[in-house]
């Protein structure tokens, strides 16, 4: 795109010209001092025909040095500098669709590639943020409308006890949904600002995962999901509350994407000084392009399930795991498996 803010071009031109002038002035000054010193120490005598030699040397030196400096300065392309400055100003103004073209030299192409990549990432982040705001606003409004509607019905109508209980269950479910969304947003805000792991204790991570499975029993029981918990007890050091959010988010995702009467497997393996915790389900395969971005904030690859989440659960998982100096990855073919690697407890 084109930019109208051109005063920078004249500023750049003036600075380059000023630089050349200063260099040439310094060259002349140093040459005069050098010649004066030669005359002073008697290398050149002013009463001989050699008197003209210093001036010849001065002229030749000025021409040669000035030509070299001008040649070097002329190799500094003005247009790329102006384009980069204008592009940076455009990005600062929120125009993330800005792209620049700098020329064919290796340095120009490298600057162009890096700048355009930065602009593209900023644009993607802005799109994700906008999508998140829209989705979250919709998701937040939907349960509120539902709660309000059923509450009015309960207030204004005489209903059978069974119907009342059914509507009250809906209100409870929608309230829990609101609470989950608020909790995820708060958790993400908390872990994003955290750079040092606090409240580190030794605990049984196996028992913690079993408790999370029980906590989510209502969700997986409704879908008739079968669990295979093939692991012994393992102890680690970490922030117990933060890691609990990791297992809640991963298991909730597995339940959400598992088919009716599907299976979820949880495995633990000790490898060197780490423990690998894998959670698998037999749901649909995650596309390769989605796997690359699945841990990005606000990203939702499967739009058919977008109404069931806000796209920040896996971002929380990634943030918390990295705070524990671990890693998390996903592999999806016949099974979709999320694997969390954490440092083992050092005896």
């Amino acid at each position: 795109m084109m930019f109208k803010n051109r005063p920078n071009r004249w500023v750049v031109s003036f600075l380059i010209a000023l630089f050349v002038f200063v260099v040439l002035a310094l060259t002349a000054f140093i040459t005069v001092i050098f010649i004066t010193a030669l005359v002073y120490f008697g290398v050149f005598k002013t009463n001989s025909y050699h008197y003209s030699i210093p001036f010849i040397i001065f002229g030749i030196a000025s021409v040669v040095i000035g030509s070299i400096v001008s040649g070097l300065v002329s190799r500094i392309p003005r247009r790329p500098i102006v384009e980069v400055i204008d592009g940076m100003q455009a990005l600062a103004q929120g125009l993330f669709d800005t792209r620049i073209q700098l020329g064919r030299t290796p340095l120009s192409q490298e600057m162009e590639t890096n700048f355009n990549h930065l602009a593209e990432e900023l644009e993607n982040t802005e799109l994700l943020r906008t999508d998140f705001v829209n989705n979250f606003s919709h998701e937040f409004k939907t349960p509120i409308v539902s709660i309000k509607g059923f509450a009015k019905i309960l207030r204004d109508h005489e209903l059978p006890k069974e119907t009342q209980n059914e509507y009250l269950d809906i209100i409870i479910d929608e309230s829990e949904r609101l609470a989950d969304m608020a909790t995820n947003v708060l958790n993400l805000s908390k872990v994003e600002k955290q750079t040092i792991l606090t409240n580190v204790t030794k605990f049984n991570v196996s028992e913690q995962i079993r408790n999370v499975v029980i906590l989510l029993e209502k969700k997986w029981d409704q879908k008739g999901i079968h669990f295979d918990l093939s692991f012994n007890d393992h102890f680690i050091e970490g922030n117990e509350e933060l890691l609990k959010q990791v297992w809640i988010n991963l298991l909730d995702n597995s339940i959400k994407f598992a088919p009716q009467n599907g299976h979820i497997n949880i495995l633990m393996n000790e490898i060197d000084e780490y423990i690998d915790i894998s959670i698998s389900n037999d749901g649909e395969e995650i596309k390769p392009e989605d796997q690359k971005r699945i841990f990005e904030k606000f990203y939702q690859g499967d739009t058919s399930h977008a109404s069931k989440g806000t796209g920040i659960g896996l971002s929380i998982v990634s943030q918390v795991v990295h705070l524990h100096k671990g890693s998390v990855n996903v592999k999806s073919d016949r099974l979709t498996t999320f694997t969390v690697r954490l440092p083992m407890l050092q005896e």
Side-chain angles (χ1 to χ4, degrees):
M1 60 184 294
M2 299 299 293
F3 307 103
K4 297 181 179 179
N5 192 9
R6 288 307 181 196
N8 291 314
R9 172 169 295 179
W10 299 109
V11 171
V12 173
S13 299
F14 173 75
L15 290 176
I16 292 176
L18 180 62
F19 175 75
V20 174
F21 173 78
V22 170
V23 170
L24 290 176
L26 286 174
T27 301
F29 180 72
I30 293 171
T31 304
V32 169
I33 292 177
F34 178 70
I35 293 173
T36 302
L38 291 177
V39 173
Y40 178 80
F41 288 106
V43 177
F44 295 125
K45 297 180 180 180
T46 58
N47 59 353
S48 69
Y49 71 92
H50 294 294
Y51 182 77
S52 60
I53 293 179
F55 297 97
I56 296 174
I57 295 175
F58 176 81
I60 294 173
S62 297
V63 171
V64 172
I65 296 175
S67 299
I68 293 174
V69 171
S70 298
L72 292 174
V73 171
S74 66
R75 293 176 64 88
I76 302 175
R78 185 183 66 176
R79 188 181 68 82
I81 296 175
V82 174
E83 288 291 333
V84 171
I85 292 174
D86 288 343
M88 291 171 63
Q89 288 182 338
L91 291 181
Q93 294 169 7
L95 304 175
F96 300 126
D97 60 342
T98 301
R99 300 295 184 270
I100 61 175
Q101 294 181 343
L102 300 181
R104 297 181 179 179
T105 64
L107 180 59
S108 296
Q109 289 183 342
E110 184 177 359
M111 291 175 61
E112 175 186 318
T113 300
N114 290 333
F115 181 93
N116 290 339
H117 179 67
L118 169 65
E120 184 178 353
E121 290 299 315
L122 288 173
E123 185 177 19
N124 289 336
T125 301
E126 178 65 15
L127 288 174
L128 287 172
R129 187 192 66 81
T130 302
D131 289 343
F132 167 75
V133 171
N134 293 336
N135 291 337
F136 189 78
S137 299
H138 173 74
E139 288 302 305
F140 203 77
K141 181 180 179 180
T142 301
I144 292 177
V145 171
S146 180
I147 291 170
K148 179 181 178 181
F150 284 107
K152 280 186 174 182
I153 293 175
L154 288 172
R155 184 193 65 182
D156 298 336
H157 298 81
E158 292 292 335
L159 300 174
K161 186 68 175 177
E162 182 178 345
T163 304
Q164 289 181 11
N165 290 336
E166 180 183 350
Y167 289 175
L168 287 172
D169 286 339
I170 293 174
I171 291 174
I172 292 171
D173 289 341
E174 295 296 272
S175 300
E176 290 176 349
R177 184 178 166 194
L178 278 175
D180 288 342
M181 284 190 285
T183 298
N184 270 340
V185 172
L186 291 174
N187 286 337
L188 179 60
S189 176
K190 178 181 177 181
V191 297
E192 279 189 325
K193 295 178 181 178
Q194 191 169 345
T195 57
I196 299 175
L197 193 61
T198 58
N199 299 325
V200 177
T201 60
K202 173 185 174 181
F203 65 95
N204 188 336
V205 67
S206 304
E207 186 63 25
Q208 184 183 51
I209 291 177
R210 294 188 191 102
N211 289 336
V212 171
V213 172
I214 295 173
L215 180 68
L216 299 175
E217 180 179 6
K218 181 178 179 180
K219 292 185 176 181
W220 55 261
D221 186 56
Q222 287 177 346
K223 296 186 70 173
I225 292 174
H226 303 280
F227 271 85
D228 181 9
L229 310 179
S230 299
F231 53 82
N232 299 317
D233 285 344
H234 297 274
F235 290 83
I236 63 172
E237 283 185 335
N239 185 309
E240 191 170 355
E241 187 61 33
L242 287 180
L243 283 174
K244 182 179 179 182
Q245 294 302 317
V246 169
W247 316 131
I248 288 176
N249 281 310
L250 289 178
L251 284 170
D252 188 60
N253 256 22
S254 289
I255 294 168
K256 180 169 65 176
F257 290 99
Q260 193 72 26
N261 300 317
H263 292 80
I264 293 178
N265 302 323
I266 305 177
L267 301 175
M268 291 190 185
N269 295 304
E270 294 183 3
I271 301 176
D272 297 328
E273 298 179 352
Y274 293 89
I275 178 170
D276 283 357
I277 302 168
S278 299
I279 300 176
S280 305
N281 71 72
D282 53 356
E284 293 183 9
E285 179 181 350
I286 301 175
K287 299 176 182 178
E289 58 269 25
D290 291 332
Q291 293 182 40
K292 295 177 182 178
R293 303 185 60 191
I294 199 167
F295 294 104
E296 292 182 13
K297 184 166 54 177
F298 312 142
Y299 185 74
Q300 291 179 288
D302 187 348
T303 55
S304 65
H305 290 78
S307 61
K308 299 183 180 180
T310 55
I312 58 178
L314 291 179
S315 180
I316 293 174
V317 169
S318 179
Q319 296 273 1
V320 172
V321 170
H322 283 96
L323 269 177
H324 286 79
K325 301 187 184 306
S327 62
V328 57
N329 61 74
V330 59
K331 180 180 179 182
S332 185
D333 40 47
R334 187 177 59 85
L335 297 176
T336 295
T337 303
F338 286 85
T339 301
V340 174
R341 172 167 287 188
L342 296 170
M344 287 179 56
L345 178 65
Q346 300 298 316
E347 299 294 343

